[in-house]
Amino acid sequence: MRGVGAVALGACAAIPAVAQASEPVRTVFGTLPDGRTVEEVTLTNGKGVTARVISWGALLRTLEVPDRAGKPADIVLGYKDLASYLDKPNYFGASIGRYANRIRAGRFTLDGQTYTLATNDGPNALHGGTAGLDKRLWTITEVKGGATPSVTLRYVSPDGEEGFPGTLTVTATYALDAANTLTVTYQATTDKPTIVNLTNHSFFNLAGEGSGRSVLDQTLTIPAERYTPVDATQIPMGEHVPVAGTPFDFRTPTVIGARIRDGRDIQIVRGRGYDHNWVVTDKPTAEPHLVARVEDPASGRVLEVASNQPGVQFYTGNFIDATVVGKSGLVYRQSDALAIEPELFPDTPNQPAFGSARLDPGATYRNVITYRFSTSSAHRTHEK
């Protein structure tokens, strides 16, 4: 698996330095209806990459990255104002949990006790419920400057919140280094046995969120030989199926739009495109490994995503339906961006063959996600 990933990286040029280094800037982003303040922290690495993180949902609001000519563009979907995040959040840039992805029928059993969650995605629970971590105000606990500026946010989810057992203390740290890598580290501890699966739900468009271009002409590599097909409600059926010979084979760089409408595959029909989990490793690893690589041939921007988690959910924004206006004034539509969510497999608490999502007192859950940016030197032809 790692060998496939190494081949997929290709030759890339460093992003030219086009900005001055600066210390993190902490400002007020908005005020919640109950009067609480939502803050924003801006991280700049001096190489032209700038990230802005807000305390509502511990979310990544903007991420500016230069193209091969050094021209920066914001490459993540989002809004200009807090009211839009409250009205139609769409998980844009948010920290997701307590359990990212889906849980069948919103139920799971732990130590003989059955827990019931909100069913907010048809018959299933999705992304932690109706008011998951993405819809909570986190506390900024630390802002660091220097060579790798960072911000750490914290949220304490009380026992029983959204139906989950145990008081869960969660931290999210965003750190931006001089090598143009944004690292997001999630950690969690609990005071009694529970389940946890955290991830980041940024929607990326390497052409720029205000470019008016979809992601269908961009190329994707996922170094996985298997994926988990789903039933009609998007719950995995328990199998790890080879990607070979299917529209889910991204082991070599492949144009995203090449097979996204292949109605001969029932999985494409059920997902309305891509909304599936790939099996990159069988279990979490000690160190991050490559889970996906995306390249926009036109701008030259390249994104490599790594994580210590075994699965990656690749989603092409199939339910973004032109009902929201983004921060550049454009209406967001299907395939205007893609999400790459490193995490445990969906519905793991109900599928023992998938491993375990259990977290016990005294243990620490950890998901380290790295987003490394570079540029390709020239246009390249990929499989169509």
Side-chain angles (χ1 to χ4, degrees):
M1 302 296 289
R2 284 190 174 87
V4 173
V7 172
L9 294 181
C12 296
I15 293 177
V18 294
Q20 297 298 315
S22 63
E23 291 296 290
V25 176
R26 186 169 176 172
T27 58
V28 173
F29 181 68
T31 304
L32 294 171
D34 62 8
R36 291 179 296 167
T37 299
V38 175
E39 295 184 274
E40 179 171 80
V41 175
T42 301
L43 308 175
T44 303
N45 74 343
K47 297 291 184 67
V49 179
T50 299
R52 294 180 178 87
V53 178
I54 66 172
S55 55
W56 179 254
L59 68 82
L60 180 64
R61 191 177 74 85
T62 72
L63 183 57
E64 296 172 10
V65 178
D67 62 12
R68 66 164 61 90
K71 181 179 179 181
D74 187 354
I75 62 166
V76 294
L77 302 194
Y79 300 117
K80 283 184 176 180
D81 57 83
L82 179 61
S84 297
Y85 283 105
L86 300 179
D87 185 34
K88 292 189 176 180
N90 285 298
Y91 304 111
F92 291 157
S95 295
I96 302 297
R98 293 187 183 191
Y99 196 91
N101 219 309
R102 297 170 175 88
I103 295 179
R104 182 188 300 273
R107 304 182 76 175
F108 68 94
T109 300
L110 190 65
D111 294 335
Q113 182 173 345
T114 298
Y115 295 90
T116 301
L117 315 173
T119 50
N120 59 331
D121 183 57
N124 305 313
L126 176 67
H127 290 336
T130 54
L133 301 183
D134 61 298
K135 299 177 182 68
R136 303 288 179 176
L137 181 62
W138 297 49
T139 300
I140 295 175
T141 59
E142 188 173 42
V143 178
K144 290 183 178 180
T148 304
S150 67
V151 55
T152 298
L153 307 97
R154 181 175 182 263
Y155 179 73
V156 179
S157 177
D159 185 16
E161 185 170 80
E162 290 298 302
F164 292 93
T167 299
L168 192 76
T169 300
V170 185
T171 60
T173 299
Y174 290 81
L176 179 61
D177 68 21
N180 299 316
T181 298
L182 177 68
T183 300
V184 184
T185 302
Y186 292 109
Q187 296 191 112
T189 57
T190 183
D191 63 356
K192 68 180 182 181
T194 190
I195 62 170
V196 64
N197 183 30
L198 310 177
T199 195
N200 184 274
H201 206 299
S202 290
F203 282 90
F204 295 95
N205 185 334
L206 297 186
E209 67 84 31
S211 67
R213 292 175 46 208
S214 80
V215 297
L216 297 182
D217 292 330
Q218 297 173 23
T219 60
L220 172 70
T221 307
I222 299 178
E225 296 179 358
R226 297 166 292 157
Y227 81 110
T228 53
V230 296
D231 64 18
T233 70
Q234 291 292 98
I235 293 292
M237 297 184 289
E239 303 172 291
H240 291 181
V241 173
V243 299
T246 77
F248 297 85
D249 190 349
F250 287 95
R251 290 174 295 174
T252 59
T254 303
V255 175
I256 292 170
R259 301 170 299 199
I260 197 171
R261 294 189 175 93
D262 188 352
R264 296 168 295 180
D265 192 307
I266 188 61
Q267 290 299 311
I268 292 292
V269 176
R270 288 175 176 172
R272 299 190 186 182
Y274 296 111
D275 188 8
H276 296 75
N277 167 70
W278 274 254
V279 181
V280 183
T281 61
D282 290 320
K283 59 184 179 181
T285 56
E287 298 296 330
H289 50 267
L290 182 74
V291 300
R293 180 185 188 277
V294 186
E295 179 180 345
D296 176 35
S299 69
R301 292 187 185 92
V302 175
L303 165 62
E304 294 162 9
V305 184
S307 171
N308 63 324
Q309 296 300 292
V312 61
Q313 187 85 5
F314 168 52
Y315 173 53
T316 44
N318 310 329
F319 294 88
I320 300 176
D321 59 0
T323 59
V324 300
V325 178
K327 50 199 163 183
S328 294
L330 297 184
V331 171
Y332 290 151
R333 304 192 307 170
Q334 185 181 50
S335 298
D336 275 352
L338 56 88
I340 298 170
E341 309 159 48
E343 59 194 24
L344 297 175
F345 306 150
D347 199 38
T348 287
N350 295 316
Q351 305 205 31
F354 283 5
S356 175
R358 183 186 182 108
L359 180 67
D360 287 309
T364 299
Y365 166 91
R366 196 163 180 256
N367 183 2
V368 180
I369 307 171
T370 64
Y371 304 99
R372 187 170 82 89
F373 295 97
S374 59
T375 58
S376 60
S377 57
H379 288 261
R380 288 186 286 174
T381 301
H382 296 290
E383 178 187 336
K384 301 220 181 195

